[in-house]
Amino acid sequence: MSDSNFCKNLKLLCGYYPSISEVCRRLDTNRQQFNKYLSGKSYPSRKNVRNICDFFGVTDSEIMLEHEEFSKLVSISRKREEKSTSRLVLNEINWFISNSEDLSKYQGYYFRYFYSFGYPQMITRSLVHISCRDGVYFWRNIEVLKDPQTKKRIGTNKYRGIVLFIADRINIIEYEALERTSITQVILYPCHRRSIDWLTGVQTGGPRRRGRKPSASALALEYLGTHVNVYTELRRVGLFHPDDADVPHRALELLQTEVTFGTHALEVSEP
């Protein structure tokens, strides 16, 4: 192998990392000396070659291949690693899905009520839909924020997520689908009656209007049915004062929580 091929091969390997500085830091090697390896001004000792190869997951003989052949080898290896990693991720996701209990009774539309993270002392009402496809339950949530005084639209947020029924609790993780800038986690009490009216629980998130500070609040879901006029119900969502006649008294009851002296967590009682 020529020194020029070594330089090209080393540069190729470094290209899979954010920066040369990151590589040097993780290799615990001097940046100036490493730059000499990359430029061909210096060749590493046998020990350093071994350390470099161990770090990048190649052998001494492989890094001495012609650059074109080495590029093909690395490309194949990277694809195998990516495929293996993807399989591991899917295995984790499949565990959650396969261990989730039946959620068929929870399918349908809901109004979601909670004290807004971004608009203090205001209640947000949004429209939620839980549906099933191939045994997996999906969550869709639409917020249409309107000025309480003028009723003019001031913002729209759309969320998508997945619903799981594990450990006797309904768990939802959703992400903001338009700008993909936020994630919310929801934990709900299940309903043990045949028909659903209200669900309650806790949600956490990091609202932009509050500098991404992690926050938690109680929330309540009002069941609307499996078939509704979506456009009609969307006209009813928005921001509301707690004393607004459009906010059901039951929603206000379920949203009343406090962290009392001596406790360390926000807890929501089962309805």
Side-chain angles (χ1 to χ4, degrees), residues 250-268:
R250 183 56 174 155
L252 293 175
E253 289 181 338
L254 295 174
L255 295 181
Q256 292 304 312
T257 59
E258 61 179 349
V259 180
T260 58
F261 180 77
T263 62
H264 302 279
L266 170 68
E267 293 183 345
V268 174

Side-chain angles (χ1 to χ4, degrees), residues 201-250:
V202 173
Q203 64 180 9
T204 62
R208 284 184 296 176
R209 289 177 62 89
R210 296 183 57 190
R212 298 295 185 194
K213 294 179 181 178
S215 305
S217 71
L219 83 157
L221 296 184
E222 179 186 10
Y223 184 65
L224 303 177
T226 55
H227 297 88
V228 302
N229 187 315
V230 173
Y231 295 103
T232 298
E233 302 304 339
L234 281 175
R235 286 197 289 268
R236 299 176 59 195
V237 306
L239 288 169
F240 301 86
H241 291 290
D243 57 357
D244 194 305
D246 284 338
V247 180
H249 181 68
R250 183 56 174 155

